[in-house]
Structures are given as C-alpha cells and as structure tokens.
Amino acid sequence: MPLGVSIFPALPEISDEELATIGAILQRWRGFSLAVYKDTCMKRRVAIRIRSTRSSDAAAYCDLLSRSGQELDLLQKSLTIHVSQFFRNHSVFEKLRMEVIPELFASRTDRRDEPLRFWCLGCAGGEEPYSLAIMLREFFGREIRHERVSLLATDIDDKTLQAARAAEYDEGRFKEMPVELRERYFRQDGRLFRLVPEIRDMVVFQRGDICNPEEYVPSDLVCCRNTLIYFARPEQERILNRIADILRPGGILVLGKSEVLVGSSRGRFAPVCRTERIYRRIS
C-alpha cells in the first residue's frame, strides 16, 4: 500500500437532514435530544457507528436504528461518553489541593451543619470523582473526619454509571496518577485494578442530564471538565449560568483546559486560576 494511504475507509458524509432523522429516532425511543450538541461532533460520532455497523449509508443506518434497540444504546453511549484518567491534568488537582480545597474547608465556620458538597458533571467512568476522593483521603484526612463531605457524580449513560460503580480499571487509566497512590488505593486483579472500598464508598453515582437544569444540585465545588466542548454555545451559556445559580457563595467551578466561560456567564465568575480554568462564583 502506498505511503500516506489510510487502511481505514473514509467516514461517510451525513447531511443535516439525515442527522435530524437520526435525532428524531433517538428522541422517540430514548428521549435523547441532539439539539443542544454541536452538529460537527455528532456527525462524526454517528459516522463512526455507520462504519462500525457496515451500513451502506445514513439511510441504511436509520433503518437499522429503527429495528435495533441494541444499536440505539450503542449510539447514545458513543454520543455521550468521554474517556478520562485518574488525576487527568495533574496540575489542576495540585491547585485544588494546595489552595482551593483548604479555603473551602476554612470558609465553613458558619455552615457546620451542612456537608461540603463536591459535584462532578459528566463523570464518565468515575476517574475524576474517585481522584477527588483519593485526594481528600490522602491530604485532608483530619478535615473529613470532623466535617461531612458529599461527593456526587452524575452522567447520562446508565451503563457508564454501572462501570463507574464497579470501579475496575485497566492500566491505561493511571498514566497521570502517582504510582504510590495506585498501590495504596487499588488492588490488582489480573489485568484490572480494583479501587478499595473505603474510596469507592465515598462517591455517590446518579443518572443526571446536564441539559436539565431542574436536576442541578446545590454545591460548593463543581467539576465540569471536557463536557461543554460537545455543546453548542447557547447551551454552554445556559449550563454555566445554571451552575452559577446552584453554587454557594464563594463556590468553585472547574472547567476543562479547552473550555472557557461564554456570554453572560462571564459576569458571574471571577478567575481563581485562568491557566487551570478554575473560577469562583461572584456573590
């Protein structure tokens, strides 16, 4: 084969009308709306499913979707899942450990009767909330013995949540995690590493739709990393404003490295660290 020629067939082209038809099928049978997501991202992920199922074109794939509940589930998962790692972008966690979380504990003198609430939106396989739990156990043991701390993680995909609750991971998820922490908090079982119960039990996983503002939970710290990039700008603005609504005074928002505040949400947050995309809600 000549150099520069891909061994993979090109992804099929998908028109706006074909994407709308696929979206209507998802809406009817799964209650899942494509309307708030970026078309380019959705078209690429749908095209990958068309190629994976060896459908001849988008019309043939629509026919398959109409007949196969299994393919509906696989498509929805492919449209919503984002793979993560433990302590992804470790400099973010260092900033949280050294500055942000100590300040949150210190500011609670007038709210001792309420738990300190951490919430991870779009938690995928649980790596991010479990990383927070490990950090709290490792570096804030005294504080969490004397303070109630709530760690909530939500995602729209039930099977993803099931995997997160199982807390079993392959070695590729630990590329940014210190080896000593992996050895302390995971037990190897064949090719998988199983999280110890004391950390696993710190996190509550629930199904939650980031597009449904009625499901948002009052919190002191919200991690919404590498999730907004899949949404169109108006929906990003709506999500960010809703997060501002439920953050307590002085509450913290953590975004992904490629994400920014947009529209009216820029007036509701002050930067804590622009480099790490950490912001404080303006009272």
Side-chain angles (χ1 to χ4, degrees):
M1 179 176 292
L3 291 176
V5 177
S6 175
I7 62 173
F8 301 103
L11 291 176
E13 294 289 334
I14 301 173
S15 68
D16 292 342
E17 292 76 15
E18 289 167 336
L19 184 66
T21 300
I22 291 169
I25 296 171
L26 280 167
Q27 181 72 55
R28 178 181 179 185
W29 296 108
R30 291 295 182 268
F32 179 75
S33 175
L34 292 182
V36 298
Y37 294 91
K38 292 179 179 176
D39 284 354
T40 52
C41 179
M42 294 299 101
K43 284 181 179 180
R44 175 170 177 78
R45 294 194 175 194
V46 168
I48 290 171
R49 288 306 309 159
I50 292 176
R51 185 173 68 183
S52 297
T53 58
R54 300 186 180 181
S55 300
S56 58
D57 53 26
Y61 184 69
C62 286
D63 181 62
L64 173 63
L65 274 184
S66 299
R67 295 182 286 104
S68 173
Q70 181 182 23
E71 181 56 31
L72 276 168
D73 292 338
L74 289 171
L75 175 60
Q76 182 176 341
K77 183 175 182 178
S78 71
L79 294 175
T80 58
I81 195 168
H82 56 283
V83 176
S84 188
Q85 293 182 358
F86 285 93
F87 293 93
R88 182 177 182 178
N89 303 128
H90 61 87
S91 57
V92 175
F93 286 91
E94 277 298 289
K95 193 73 175 180
L96 293 176
R97 179 176 74 88
M98 297 297 294
E99 297 181 26
V100 174
I101 292 179
E103 289 180 5
L104 288 176
F105 276 117
S107 67
R108 287 176 41 75
T109 54
D110 60 341
R111 285 199 295 109
R112 295 290 182 179
D113 56 326
E114 299 179 18
L116 186 66
R117 296 187 185 276
F118 297 77
W119 181 22
C120 293
L121 277 151
C123 66
E127 295 90 343
E128 183 172 84
Y130 285 141
S131 295
L132 285 172
I134 289 170
M135 184 171 63
L136 288 170
R137 179 73 69 178
E138 185 75 9
F139 300 105
F140 300 93
R142 182 180 63 84
E143 288 84 353
I144 64 176
R145 281 196 299 271
H146 295 88
E147 300 267 359
R148 287 191 298 151
V149 176
S150 167
L151 256 171
L152 174 65
T154 58
D155 201 278
I156 196 172
D157 186 75
D158 290 322
K159 291 185 178 179
T160 299
L161 291 170
Q162 184 178 353
R165 294 186 186 103
E168 296 177 343
Y169 303 92
D170 60 45
E171 195 165 8
R173 303 299 176 90
F174 299 96
K175 293 179 180 178
E176 296 193 57
M177 185 177 190
V179 174
E180 59 271 21
L181 291 184
R182 190 186 73 181
E183 293 177 347
R184 191 171 301 146
Y185 294 108
F186 290 83
R187 302 293 177 260
Q188 189 167 2
D189 182 8
R191 66 177 186 83
L192 296 178
F193 294 82
R194 184 176 294 114
L195 186 63
V196 297
E198 66 180 282
I199 300 297
R200 188 185 61 210
D201 295 344
M202 289 177 65
V203 182
V204 175
F205 290 94
Q206 294 179 3
R207 188 184 186 281
D209 185 352
I210 193 173
C211 298
N212 184 0
E214 301 305 316
E215 297 182 1
Y216 281 41
V217 181
S219 303
D220 296 283
L221 183 146
V222 172
C223 287
C224 185
R225 299 205 300 155
N226 308 303
T227 302
L228 291 178
I229 55 176
Y230 299 112
F231 292 91
R233 184 183 174 94
E235 193 64 19
Q236 290 180 4
E237 183 176 358
R238 190 170 80 96
I239 291 168
L240 288 165
N241 276 313
R242 185 58 182 136
I243 291 173
D245 290 340
I246 57 91
L247 274 173
R248 291 175 173 139
I252 297 295
L253 166 65
V254 187
L255 297 178
K257 286 297 186 73
S258 60
E259 296 167 328
V260 295
L261 300 173
V262 297
S264 59
S265 70
R266 288 191 290 249
R268 305 195 65 185
F269 294 94
V272 173
C273 180
R274 293 184 189 276
T275 302
E276 305 300 345
R277 300 293 196 272
I278 301 174
Y279 305 89
R280 178 176 285 108
R281 179 200 142 185
I282 298 172
S283 300

